Amino acid sequence: IGLLADVLKTLKLSSNGKVAWLKITKETLKSTKASLEGTEGIINFARSIDGVEVAMLFRETGSENRIKISLRSKGKVDVNKLAHFFEGGGHKRASGCSVIGKLEEVEKKVVEKAEGLTKNV
């Protein structure tokens, strides 16, 4: 419950209300004694918000400056296109990618791209 409580505090919603995202930092994993494997279902909290079409979970990995991003869609937006833009892949409703950079910079880039994909839905 400690991990979930800490991660839910990071929940953000785009200005159009169609993109929601959460972050898990290395510090959060360390302080809650959680593993990256134990974080998979957390993205569903962002996806369950009314009006949200794209949910994202940003996770700092053990390797320096690598951010792992899980992407989920309710169906109107193809998150595989978003993942491909960042050299990832998957399916229309569930995809992922890894991006090198600082968490805040990666978050900004990916959120902007996701907002662009949700403009007309």
Side-chain angles (χ1 to χ4, degrees):
I1 292 195
L3 175 66
L4 181 58
D6 285 357
V7 174
L8 286 177
K9 291 176 192 169
T10 72
L11 178 66
K12 291 186 183 171
L13 201 57
S14 64
S15 57
N16 68 7
K18 295 180 182 176
V19 181
W21 66 98
L22 299 154
K23 296 183 280 191
I24 301 175
T25 63
K26 285 187 267 190
E27 291 80 26
T28 300
L29 287 174
K30 191 174 181 179
S31 69
T32 60
K33 295 179 175 62
S35 67
L36 275 177
E37 294 75 35
T39 64
E40 283 302 317
I42 291 175
I43 194 169
N44 294 322
F45 288 91
R47 190 174 64 172
S48 68
I49 298 168
D50 280 347
V52 168
E53 290 299 328
V54 174
M56 301 184 292
L57 177 64
F58 294 84
R59 291 177 288 178
E60 286 184 319
T61 65
S63 60
E64 212 53 40
N65 288 331
R66 179 173 295 278
I67 310 301
K68 185 175 180 189
I69 308 155
S70 297
L71 309 164
R72 299 293 181 271
S73 170
K74 287 184 179 170
K76 291 183 182 176
V77 176
D78 184 349
V79 290
N80 193 28
K81 289 180 181 174
L82 181 59
H84 272 283
F85 187 81
F86 294 100
E87 298 180 13
H91 304 281
K92 181 179 180 181
R93 290 181 175 231
S95 293
C97 55
S98 280
V99 180
I100 303 290
K102 294 195 183 319
L103 180 58
E104 295 76 24
E105 296 164 4
V106 171
E107 176 186 354
K108 187 176 187 295
K109 281 193 290 192
V110 178
V111 167
E112 283 176 4
K113 193 71 175 167
E115 287 176 327
L117 289 175
T118 62
K119 247 182 199 129
N120 300 317
V121 291

